[in-house]
Amino acid sequence: NAGVTQTPKFRVLKTGQSMTLLCAQDMNHEYMYWYRQDPGMGLRLIHYSVGEGTTAKGEVPDGYNVSRLKKQNFLLGLESAAPSQTSVYFCASSHRGEASNQPQHFGDGTRLSIL
Amino acid sequence: AQKITQTQPGMFVQEKEAVTLDCTYDTSDQSYGLFWYKQPSSGEMIFLIYQGSYDEQNATEGRYSLNFQKARKSANLVISASQLGDSAMYFCAMRPLKGGSYIPTFGRGTSLIVHP
């Protein structure tokens, strides 16, 4: 059982380049999330999705776009990368919010550096 | 709006001793869930323990227990008999359970170092 899989695991970009991070989950979870983790800042929510075809902004959405065309996949795009987007990115998934005691399941993270 | 506060950026404990990691929260929701996650140096996020706001007893999972004080809005994680493998970042999170977006909010984390 793979759980939540993120690709790639590492990436170095130049300022202005674009890229897409892929998240795939095999647990039939309705909710999916993208976070960024920076030292001392904890996990900050970028965008999330409560179901196929729906997305919503989180705490720090600027500079990112997302799409959820299939239930199992959640893509995070950087259209024009900036050094401030250097971070570790985590994808997570979970059952519907009413499933009260169900935790989020996280991928292993993507370490992204913008030069 | 929800807010999670973890006031201890770093904690040190001797192996085999108990340690308490603090978490306070602020919410107007009456029904919510509290979660603790562990992030070792390898980077993955590991779910540890859950406490519901209407649970009458404090949650326990092996060496982990949650000291839940609803009136004080605190949900402290207690790790008994610390082990070297407990050295990690620990995150507290909260999620509303009714009438909301059900999206969790995380604290900034506490770094725990266990000394031999």
Side-chain angles (χ1 to χ4, degrees), chain B:
Chain B
Q2 306 166 91
K3 185 176 181 180
I4 297 283
T5 303
Q6 294 181 252
T7 58
Q8 308 153 314
M11 288 285 287
F12 298 87
V13 66
Q14 203 77 23
E15 191 178 12
K16 299 181 184 178
E17 292 185 349
V19 62
T20 297
L21 306 183
D22 294 342
C23 172
T24 59
Y25 57 92
D26 188 17
T27 182
S28 57
D29 295 295
Q30 296 301 308
S31 179
Y32 49 88
L34 295 153
F35 302 79
W36 277 92
Y37 294 85
K38 171 184 178 182
Q39 186 181 40
S41 59
S42 52
E44 71 271 27
M45 294 285 286
I46 302 167
F47 166 68
L48 295 178
I49 195 167
Y50 166 84
Q51 177 84 45
S53 59
Y54 287 109
D55 294 341
E56 294 186 352
Q57 291 190 332
N58 287 343
T60 60
E61 288 287 347
R63 293 186 299 110
Y64 304 109
S65 61
L66 206 152
N67 184 0
F68 180 49
Q69 298 187 46
K70 192 172 182 177
R72 292 187 174 184
K73 293 189 175 180
S74 74
N76 299 338
L77 178 69
V78 181
I79 305 174
S80 63
S82 297
Q83 300 172 356
L84 296 179
D86 293 334
S87 294
M89 283 290 293
Y90 289 81
F91 292 96
C92 179
M94 181 182 67
R95 184 179 73 199
L97 300 181
K98 291 182 181 179
S101 65
Y102 309 111
I103 303 302
T105 300
F106 282 80
R108 295 192 174 191
T110 295
S111 174
L112 176 66
I113 296 177
V114 181
H115 289 299

